[in-house]
Amino acid sequence: MDDSVDRRTFLAAAALGSAGVVAGVSLLGPSAPRAAASAAQPATGRGRQLPSAAPNFGLAKFLDPLRIPAVIQAHSRRNSGELTITMTTARTRLHSQLPETTLWTYEGRFPGPTIEVRSHRRLRVAWANELRGTVPLVAVRAPYAQPTPANRPGYRAADGSLPAGVELIDGVADLPPWNVVHLHGALTDGGNDGWAHNGISPGRTQLTEYPNRQAATALWYHDHAMAVTRFNVHSGLAGLYLIRDEEEDRLRLPRGDHEIPLILADRNLDTDPATGALTGRLLFKFQYLPASGTTAPVTGPFTLVNGVIWPHLDVDARWYRFRVLNMANGRFFRLDLVDEAGTVHNDAVRIAGTDAGLLPAPAAVPVGGLTLTPAERVDLLIDFSRFPGQRLRLVNTGASIEPDIMEFRVESRRRADSFVPPARLSTSYVRVAVPADHDEVFVATTPPGVAGRPHPEMWELKEITEPGELPMHFPEEGVLQVTDPATGRVRTFRTVARLFDDTTTVFVDRGRWVVWNLIQLGGAPHPMHIHMARFQLLSRHKFGDLTAFDVAAGGTTRPLPAPGDGPAIEKHEEGWKDTFNLWAGEWIRVAGRFEDATGQFMYHCHILDHEDEGMMRPFVVHPPEVSRFHLHPGGSGHHPGGSGHGGH
């Protein structure tokens, strides 16, 4: 039986509070999540009731006000398009009932200040590393065991000893500051993108230039250092970056105090072994199954918004605009707006934009909630005029520990508010029509256990077109046969790279359209982020049967059958994006044009544990006039038409 975790299984089991699905990874085997899914068919529409809250581990919910990150106007008279942002070690309270937490921060704040720029106006940033000490968290491995979830706070026994199966992760406590900043979603040259190997130590500065030649949107900056991104971001190194333009200005969307960032994250905290009290120290706890060693991405029981655990926000009875970012290492959020009785009011919410810009028109929240995977952004409009004097909650119905995120406290008096969501948002938006002359890249993700390797992997594929190149026997490690849903033709692919430092195989000519074919062969879902361009989702297909992929052998025993149509593409999914979630058994196609910047870039799963464990690869964009002289891995000049080596 296939043990993949599809979207319905993952979200339904999590909504029930089933600890058998942790951040999208099946830890209890194939049967438990399926049972949970069948037991939790979500009700539709307004009036859906949500499950009751889970333990709060001693912290009062909604006690503290939401903190609003400071805003830096990059093109003000004071800054004139040049900034110095300093990374510093700071101490702050994540909750007023906690001791201070030591963090690595930008400008002493968690999250960092919101940088605001104008479209098509260049910004130069000097990212100065003045961090000190070693990484401010404790990292452990803990066995998953029912009925106590392994991502509860703390990890030691009452006498201070380590329980059976719990161990400190060797080397993490010694990690020094070594950092490189990536502006996620920026269209900038490779030298400014935050190449993972280009980390800098304290006393050094990373110099970057961002052209900002893109439409109004919410980007975010975060650490991207090779192999330690998960620890550095978890320690606090992230912040929002807003691009403004005239198209957005003309819409007169809520601004000022009525436009608020909501940066979502989750964290775990250490406890005092003698008293059990929370110490405030960040705890990075891997969960694993002792029998197989299979691990789940790190998640935590405490949900933070703008660096505050379970905050509240006093709001006027009028429309607001919220710039929402999922900054979590591995947590998926399924967002619902509910009242004190638990009744869902998503009909008061409109989706105005996604990762890379405004939608053509406001979109409704999908039935069952809005799923936001790590690194995704969403631009929400919420009408609080319908709820004077009420308290509403933003909740995560995909949470296995605690659904509550934050509380909105609506004022009692009604206000005059002339704002009405416009019927048309982005007049510059066009739905992509990919030209016939384009390139194709094929990438497959695999579940843990392939050929005995413990982590999921990401394979770059090259199509085998000559009969003499076909394997003599199947399965062969790294060789996949799939049936193309468009033509019904069986296509054979060989894996040409799977580790970050393997030979670069994907080369793109500047100005070319490229369709990325992302194929998920089972296991956890993967939010896939491709640097340097904006993309649209073209199609989603779903394999009904993945048993042809032999996990132990690492190849297909027979061609995977043609996938059928997957879940329909929602209206908000038609927008420009840079991160796409790849659910189990899906084949999605996303298209983007590499029309501006050049250089070497990365693409990867944005579950940071997966990224650091190997699910990241490079690609190159260069001028077409140069590509004919470039010697590719085969030894001859690069094909002038495009990628060639990514499955062209």
Side-chain angles (χ1 to χ4, degrees):
M1 181 181 291
D2 174 30
D3 65 353
S4 303
V5 183
D6 65 16
R7 64 180 64 216
R8 180 177 293 276
T9 300
F10 166 63
L11 293 173
L16 276 181
S18 167
V21 178
V22 182
V25 178
S26 174
L27 296 182
L28 298 181
S31 59
R34 293 178 189 275
S38 63
Q41 298 297 328
T44 60
R46 186 173 180 270
R48 180 163 51 95
Q49 298 291 315
L50 298 184
S52 59
N56 60 12
F57 301 110
L59 298 182
K61 284 197 248 180
F62 317 134
L63 177 64
D64 299 327
L66 179 74
R67 287 197 290 259
I68 309 300
V71 177
I72 297 177
Q73 297 289 347
H75 295 110
S76 65
R77 180 176 299 178
R78 175 183 178 182
N79 295 315
S80 301
E82 294 191 357
L83 299 177
T84 296
I85 303 293
T86 303
M87 294 173 253
T88 62
T89 303
R91 292 180 61 81
T92 189
R93 280 187 169 85
L94 305 181
H95 190 284
S96 60
Q97 294 175 324
L98 283 173
E100 289 184 330
T101 296
T102 300
L103 297 164
W104 281 353
T105 70
Y106 298 107
E107 293 294 311
R109 302 171 183 271
F110 172 59
T114 298
I115 300 173
E116 191 167 317
V117 303
R118 294 297 300 183
S119 178
H120 289 80
R121 294 190 66 181
R122 182 185 65 192
L123 172 64
R124 289 174 172 165
V125 182
W127 303 96
N129 190 343
E130 298 297 337
L131 295 168
R132 64 179 185 275
T134 55
V135 66
L137 53 76
V138 57
V140 303
R141 283 168 42 89
Y144 178 84
Q146 289 276 36
T148 302
N151 64 346
R152 294 175 67 94
Y155 66 97
R156 290 162 294 192
D159 61 359
S161 64
L162 296 180
V166 176
E167 60 183 8
L168 293 168
I169 300 175
D170 188 45
V172 174
D174 301 322
L175 287 173
W178 186 67
N179 310 94
V180 62
V181 181
H182 166 57
L183 180 54
H184 180 119
L187 308 185
T188 189
D189 289 304
N192 302 301
D193 191 49
W195 183 251
H197 281 305
N198 289 345
I200 59 172
S201 297
R204 305 297 180 93
T205 300
Q206 173 191 348
L207 302 177
T208 55
E209 181 175 281
Y210 305 117
N212 298 313
R213 290 194 291 265
Q214 51 198 113
T217 190
L219 311 181
W220 65 297
Y221 58 95
H222 63 83
D223 192 83
H224 213 309
M226 175 59 69
V228 293
T229 294
R230 52 187 158 177
F231 304 125
N232 292 346
V233 172
H234 204 81
S235 297
L237 291 172
L240 204 61
Y241 185 104
L242 300 180
I243 299 178
R244 307 287 193 186
D245 67 7
E246 292 182 359
E247 182 178 63
E248 178 193 38
D249 293 342
R250 287 193 294 269
L251 297 172
R252 299 187 179 277
L253 300 174
R255 291 291 302 269
D257 292 341
H258 301 107
E259 180 187 22
I260 298 175
L262 299 180
I263 301 174
L264 311 182
D266 64 336
R267 293 293 185 269
N268 206 337
L269 298 170
D270 197 4
T271 57
D272 184 295
T275 66
L278 296 166
T279 66
R281 187 184 188 192
L282 293 176
L283 174 61
F284 197 89
K285 187 191 292 187
F286 282 97
Q287 301 173 81
Y288 73 97
L289 279 179
S292 64
T294 300
T295 61
V298 170
T299 58
F302 300 106
T303 302
L304 293 77
V305 188
N306 296 354
V308 182
I309 297 174
W310 298 319
H312 72 264
L313 177 66
D314 295 318
V315 295
D316 299 333
R318 54 156 294 162
W319 283 92
Y320 275 72
R321 183 185 188 188
F322 294 101
R323 314 303 292 271
V324 188
L325 159 68
N326 182 351
M327 195 190 74
N329 280 42
R331 172 74 71 196
F332 287 46
F333 289 92
R334 187 175 65 181
L335 304 178
D336 280 299
L337 183 69
V338 305
D339 62 20
E340 293 178 89
T343 302
V344 176
H345 292 282
N346 288 343
D347 55 336
V349 184
R350 291 292 179 268
I351 304 170
T354 49
D355 298 348
L358 293 166
L359 293 170
V365 173
V367 172
L370 174 63
T371 299
L372 202 63
T373 68
E376 285 189 299
R377 287 88 69 207
V378 67
D379 195 343
L380 296 183
L381 301 173
I382 300 182
D383 181 12
F384 291 113
S385 68
R386 298 172 43 182
F387 310 102
Q390 296 189 44
R391 296 192 177 194
L392 303 171
R393 288 176 293 134
L394 185 65
V395 300
N396 175 22
T397 49
S400 58
I401 298 297
E402 173 55 71
D404 286 326
I405 297 174
M406 66 175 294
E407 182 181 73
F408 299 106
R409 299 176 180 177
V410 187
E411 67 175 349
S412 297
R413 71 186 184 97
R414 297 182 181 274
R415 288 182 180 259
D417 181 13
S418 61
F419 177 75
V420 176
R424 182 73 173 168
L425 291 169
S426 175
T427 57
S428 64
Y429 171 91
V430 292
R431 186 67 175 148
V432 163
V434 181
D437 182 22
H438 69 273
D439 295 325
E440 301 264 343
V441 172
F442 286 82
V443 179
T445 68
T446 69
V450 168
R453 296 186 289 271
H455 303 301
E457 295 183 338
M458 191 171 70
W459 292 355
E460 278 178 13
L461 305 175
K462 178 181 179 181
E463 186 166 14
I464 298 173
T465 56
E466 298 296 329
E469 298 177 342
L470 290 172
M472 296 295 294
H473 304 283
F474 291 94
E476 179 176 307
E477 184 179 348
V479 176
L480 306 176
Q481 287 192 305
V482 298
T483 306
D484 193 310
T487 64
R489 179 171 63 91
V490 172
R491 305 176 70 175
T492 304
F493 295 89
R494 182 179 298 278
T495 301
V496 291
R498 63 180 182 84
L499 300 177
F500 185 81
D501 292 320
D502 287 345
T503 299
T504 302
T505 71
V506 178
F507 297 87
V508 178
D509 285 353
R510 182 177 58 195
R512 295 286 293 181
W513 280 94
V514 181
V515 173
W516 294 66
N517 295 265
L518 306 175
I519 302 172
Q520 212 272 20
L521 295 175
H526 299 290
M528 301 294 290
H529 170 47
I530 307 170
H531 288 211
M532 192 265 165
R534 61 178 188 168
F535 301 84
Q536 287 186 18
L537 177 62
L538 299 182
S539 63
R540 178 188 284 133
H541 289 87
K542 175 78 174 178
F543 291 102
D545 180 8
L546 288 174
T547 57
F549 180 68
D550 188 320
V551 174
T556 52
T557 57
R558 61 188 184 279
L560 286 166
D565 291 337
I569 297 175
E570 301 275 0
K571 277 297 180 183
H572 74 278
E573 293 181 304
E574 294 181 359
W576 290 106
K577 289 177 56 61
D578 54 53
T579 305
F580 297 87
N581 198 51
L582 185 60
W583 297 92
E586 286 189 341
W587 178 343
I588 67 172
R589 301 173 72 247
V590 304
R593 187 183 183 199
F594 293 81
E595 57 188 328
D596 190 8
T598 58
Q600 191 164 29
F601 304 93
M602 301 171 285
Y603 69 97
H604 54 89
C605 174
H606 222 289
I607 292 176
L608 299 184
D609 296 313
H610 291 172
E611 173 189 324
D612 283 347
E613 290 164 354
M615 294 190 71
M616 181 164 67
R617 285 284 300 153
F619 66 96
V620 172
V621 180
H622 49 195
E625 297 83 1
V626 172
S627 67
R628 67 176 63 246
F629 298 101
H630 188 177
L631 296 180
H632 64 68
S636 60
H638 178 74
H639 189 283
S643 64
H645 316 298
H648 177 64

